[in-house]
Amino acid sequence: MDTTLDAWEILQAVVQLGGFAPAAEKLHRSQSTISYAIGRLQEQLGVRLFEIHGRKAHLTEVGRVLLADAESHLAGFHQLEQRARLMASGHAALGLLGGLALSPRH
């Protein structure tokens, strides 16, 4: 099972934005790409993340638990990316706990 960070971010966007179409718009992707990514993630995990009722997708209980677990990892990864960008721009990021403290590089 090789899930991707991208797939988890798509799942998060679908839930936060309330659907596949808004997530597609926000992520600048087609709705079919979003649907495919969610289907692939479900297949890789061997669980149903959504139940479809009419035209609306609802997160399953398993989906809620897995997304809650994934969100802290996603946030940490985004913080890591931000730190790398800051370091690349000449700032050293200090202090892993309590957010990003910056110290200009001399």
Side-chain angles (χ1 to χ4, degrees):
M1 163 180 13
D2 292 321
T3 64
T4 65
L5 177 65
D6 187 55
W8 290 102
E9 288 177 324
I10 289 171
L11 174 63
Q12 184 180 48
V14 169
V15 172
Q16 286 179 346
L17 299 170
F20 288 54
E25 185 175 332
K26 168 91 172 164
L27 298 173
H28 306 290
R29 305 206 188 159
S30 68
Q31 188 170 337
S32 63
T33 299
I34 300 300
S35 296
Y36 177 80
I38 294 296
R40 178 109 170 98
L41 183 59
Q42 291 180 127
E43 182 181 297
Q44 290 172 319
L45 296 172
V47 297
R48 290 186 62 203
L49 300 170
F50 288 97
E51 293 176 345
I52 308 298
H53 299 285
R55 296 189 61 158
K56 189 76 175 162
H58 299 279
L59 206 55
T60 63
E61 184 60 30
V62 169
R64 277 190 282 282
V65 169
L66 291 175
L67 180 57
D69 286 347
E71 284 181 326
S72 64
H73 297 287
L74 292 171
F77 184 79
H78 292 295
Q79 189 174 37
L80 175 64
E81 285 182 324
Q82 182 180 7
R83 173 171 283 183
R85 280 191 297 276
L86 290 168
M87 293 174 94
S89 70
H91 292 85
L94 302 175
L96 291 172
L97 300 175
L100 295 175
L102 302 179
S103 172
R105 187 171 82 182
H106 297 287

